[in-house]
Amino acid sequence: MDNLTAAAMKPGAPYNWKNQPDRLIYLGYNWSGNGYWHQFKKIGDPRPVWCEVLSADLHMLEETAEEPH
């Protein structure tokens, strides 16, 4: 799978850290206190933003593959 880029990120789409089970929803590239960050909500976590990621670190994430039914 190719490395993610900021241009390829889709708000509302599912992502995860590579080789990790946590499922995230991309919220967008938003201002947060000290700059712009790619923000994610963790599925099942009540916090509105679970993590913030720099564009340089997007290569550590991947789109979540659709799980077979």
Side-chain angles (χ1 to χ4, degrees):
M1 192 177 275
D2 294 335
N3 284 338
L4 288 175
T5 63
M9 302 295 291
K10 299 172 231 153
Y15 294 90
N16 58 274
W17 293 100
K18 290 181 179 178
N19 301 314
Q20 296 298 314
D22 297 320
R23 297 302 180 236
L24 311 172
I25 300 297
Y26 182 56
L27 301 174
Y29 190 60
N30 302 310
W31 176 261
S32 176
N34 62 349
Y36 281 91
W37 298 82
H38 295 278
Q39 295 179 329
F40 296 85
K41 174 168 182 38
K42 181 178 174 183
I43 294 174
D45 190 294
R47 292 172 283 190
V49 175
W50 183 73
C51 70
E52 296 178 313
V53 180
L54 295 170
S55 293
D57 294 329
L58 290 176
H59 70 278
M60 294 187 278
L61 291 154
E62 62 188 1
E63 282 190 79
T64 300
E66 188 174 317
E67 297 187 21
H69 299 288

